[in-house]
Amino acid sequence: MAQAEGSYHRPLATSRLELNLVRLLCRCESMAAEKREPDEWRLEKYVGALEDMLQALKVQASKPASEVISEYSRKVDFLKGMLQAEKLTSSSEKALANQFLAPGRVPTTAKERVPATKTVHLQSRARYTSEMRSELLGMEPSGECEVDMRKRAAKGSRPADERQSASELDLVLQRHQGLQEKLAEEMLGLARSLKTNTLAAQSVIKKDNQTLSHSLKMADQNLEKLKLESERLEQHAQKSVNWLLWAMLIVVCFVFISMILFIRIMPRLK
């Protein structure tokens, strides 16, 4: 029944490239589910090869359906994000980065009843939570202490101390969770405030741009009017100069004729 369901949701590979991608993806998922050494480098190289194969599959002529390619991309992005989260320093950063990862929704092979990436996601979340709990209690991030506590609890030795430790652990976890929620609310408030300020600044800048455009338009209109009035003033000045010149010529001629008449008339009077 599980095989039939898996084959229904994910069709068989239709090309050699897709077949190789599915095989390498299954290998990467199995490696991600296993415990690896810090200096393990093969998984990162395999994920890089998966990205190259996925890009080649997208441009292939006989490429699969868009839903299948989207599922492949989702799983490759999950593996890539998981590797990036493992490179972080603190366990709280790893746990936060792990929360934003999106595992695959469909099994890679028909033999899987649950998508392998989802199982890896749950395992990594539990591991990061355990590491964060160990950091809060000042303990080493190993499972030996937890095993010893379970054995002692099974034997019934010191139940009161264990209950007290458990209550203190729950209190520390609740306090840490409260701090995380408060920090998330503050970040959300800052994001909203930043968005509001950005929209307000955008509105102000838009109004300033409109005002500036209107001012430039008015300046251009005033410049055109100024040119027109200057031309009219120049023409008027030229006309005024011409009339003044003719008036001065008439006055000079009149004075000249008057002087001649005066010179001729004055001797006769003697």
Side-chain angles (χ1 to χ4, degrees):
M1 183 68 182
Q3 295 180 357
E5 184 180 358
S7 61
Y8 173 76
H9 287 290
R10 189 194 64 78
L12 296 177
T14 57
S15 63
R16 180 176 295 273
L17 179 60
E18 185 181 0
L19 181 61
N20 293 334
L21 186 143
V22 171
R23 290 177 179 174
L24 185 57
L25 182 59
C26 293
R27 177 59 179 166
C28 292
E29 290 175 349
S30 62
M31 290 180 66
E34 298 173 355
K35 186 177 181 180
R36 303 184 306 279
E37 297 295 332
D39 56 348
E40 177 63 33
W41 55 271
R42 292 180 299 172
L43 181 57
E44 187 173 359
K45 296 295 183 182
Y46 290 167
V47 172
L50 276 176
E51 291 181 342
D52 297 337
M53 296 172 67
L54 183 60
Q55 294 297 328
L57 185 63
K58 289 180 180 180
V59 299
Q60 195 178 30
S62 59
K63 61 182 179 181
S66 59
E67 294 82 3
V68 179
I69 294 181
S70 177
E71 183 67 20
Y72 289 156
S73 302
R74 186 183 182 93
K75 293 179 180 179
V76 173
D77 293 339
F78 170 79
L79 293 173
K80 185 178 179 181
M82 185 195 67
L83 292 176
Q84 293 177 354
E86 290 179 352
K87 295 179 181 180
L88 298 176
T89 55
S90 63
S91 58
S92 59
E93 293 178 353
K94 294 180 181 179
L96 183 61
N98 183 263
Q99 292 180 359
F100 292 99
L101 297 179
R105 292 171 292 189
V106 180
T108 306
T109 60
K111 296 180 181 180
E112 298 177 0
R113 304 185 63 179
V114 179
T117 52
K118 187 174 183 180
T119 304
V120 173
H121 190 216
L122 295 176
Q123 291 176 353
S124 58
R125 179 185 297 178
R127 183 172 65 254
Y128 296 149
T129 304
S130 177
E131 292 178 359
M132 186 167 54
R133 183 182 304 173
S134 300
E135 288 182 0
L136 290 174
L137 295 178
M139 300 168 56
E140 293 294 331
S142 60
E144 297 179 358
C145 296
E146 296 181 1
V147 174
D148 294 338
M149 290 178 64
R150 291 177 181 176
K151 289 182 179 180
R152 284 182 290 178
K155 292 180 181 179
S157 61
R158 296 190 295 176
D161 296 339
E162 292 179 358
R163 284 196 298 270
Q164 184 177 0
S165 299
S167 62
E168 292 178 355
L169 177 61
D170 293 337
L171 181 61
V172 172
L173 290 177
Q174 289 178 2
R175 185 178 301 173
H176 184 71
Q177 185 176 2
L179 291 176
Q180 285 187 344
E181 292 178 355
K182 185 177 180 181
L183 181 60
E185 291 178 357
E186 291 179 356
M187 293 177 64
L188 183 60
L190 290 175
R192 290 176 179 174
S193 178
L194 180 61
K195 182 179 180 180
T196 303
N197 294 334
T198 303
L199 293 176
Q202 184 178 1
S203 178
V204 172
I205 292 173
K206 186 176 180 180
K207 291 181 180 178
D208 292 341
N209 289 333
Q210 291 178 354
T211 304
L212 182 60
S213 300
H214 181 69
S215 300
L216 292 175
K217 185 177 180 180
M218 293 297 296
D220 293 337
Q221 292 179 357
N222 292 333
L223 182 61
E224 294 295 333
K225 291 181 180 180
L226 181 60
K227 289 181 179 179
L228 181 61
E229 295 297 330
S230 299
E231 292 177 356
R232 292 176 60 185
L233 180 60
E234 185 178 359
Q235 293 177 0
H236 183 70
Q238 290 178 357
K239 291 180 180 179
S240 299
V241 170
N242 292 334
W243 283 107
L244 182 61
L245 180 61
W246 283 106
M248 290 178 65
L249 289 175
I250 292 172
V251 171
V252 170
C253 291
F254 177 75
V255 172
F256 180 73
I257 294 172
S258 299
M259 289 297 295
I260 292 175
L261 292 176
F262 180 76
I263 292 171
R264 288 186 178 183
I265 294 172
M266 286 302 294
R268 293 180 181 179
L269 291 176
K270 290 180 180 180

